[in-house]
Amino acid sequence: MRVFTAALATETNTFSPIAVDRRAFEASLYARPGEHPATPTLCTAPITVGREVCARQGWTLIEGSASWADPAGLVARTTYEELRDEILAQLQAAMPVDAVVLGLHGAMVAQGYDDPEGDLLSRIRTIVGPGVLVCAELDPHSHLTAKRVAAANFLVAFKEFPHTDFVDRARDLWSIAVRALKGEITPVMSVFDCRMIDVFPTSKQPMRGFVDQLYALERAEPGVLSLSVIHGFMAGDVPEMGTKIIAITNDNAAKGAALAEKLGRELFAMRGTFMVAQVDERAAVDAAIAAPRGPVVIADVWDNPGGGTAGDATVILAELIARGISDVAVGTIWDPIAVQICMAAGEGAEIPLRFGAKSAPHTGSPIDQLVRVNRLVRDAEMRFGESYAPFGDAAWISFAGIDVILNSTRAQSFDPSLFSVMGIDPKSRKILLIKSTNHFYDSFSRIASEIIYCAAGKPYPNTPATTPYRKARRDIWPMVENPWA
Ligand SMILES: [Zn+2]
């Protein structure tokens, strides 16, 4: 057997001011054929798992390019077209193949392309013809368009959010592909449109139980090969935005459709109950002051660079300053210009500095303070599980009992080590203000006396009922109360 694999992935917040070009992919991951590292990034596990699987089977794996850009705004048209055409040319050169196994994200939007993955998959289908297996792994924060469903034999999404299972789901993808190539099964995909959009963390109920049910059904239900929830991505203003269920069965589309519908209606019935309750900046600061001991973690949940925002909002920090609160450490505020100024001034310098809130509306105002530059770190990194996440050249500044880490590479606050690498002991501060929606929880909950989820300003389109979409469908909840009427 000859199997072609490649990856092309990013998550596009179409409301984000941070445009994405080829350099953004090269800064995160760009690997030419055969150059992909041994460990996968979020959307490239089909390549690394494919190496293991094909070696075991004695099959030939032909690797194409792998590209991943960290979540941000629209991808430049030429960047998408170049990366796509590179993969298509590699596939053309690899023909004939028996299967194509891809790592996608599924929420890319490029200038002129609302559905780049649908475009890529259908061009791949045109090259390989109807008889060749085409499949892909997806992030659940994606758009499941009809074009993708028509072009692919099957699609498997991560089940967990945080996405701790991206390698396991790549194994599922390959395991179905292997059995199909050996003629043991005929995977068919059934889709149910839940007519809703929501955010579904699996670290808490009710989504934890729902996902556990999917695992149980995959194990126990005869003929069911894989079940996925496409959560949808509310920051992507595209026509087919929304939550969907995918059921892959062994040649039993009717059973798959019935199961997908049953699960989808169950999910719809729980709409609006998935997220942790959030408070505004005033209530967040009140609660933090009232806490008997620290560190209290205030998560600025919607200014999360992991969801494509700039990560430079100052709304909560301004509230802390206005109320004269000290014993605070902020990690991080993205401001490469301010970092550059601090680097020029040097450690120990006292300078007037303007920082933050420069990139997008509804994120507060820039902060003007006389600051002390305490520590400068080039190419700073924080821990992220077993690996490291870079946050670029960084400056620790302080004023009036408030410490702020300014960074120059956008990164969400994954881990308290972002403070310690700068020289701040995170456990020693009463209040830690960080930027993350969900991924921070694992590591910060180990040191936090309390965690406060704060919705401040409007850096992210987090209320779909009022978001000024131009393209997204409006016949789903919460834009309409009853989409089934
Ligand atoms: Zn995701």
Side-chain angles (χ1 to χ4, degrees), residues 11 139 141 163:
E11 178 182 85
D139 186 295
H141 300 114
H163 305 317

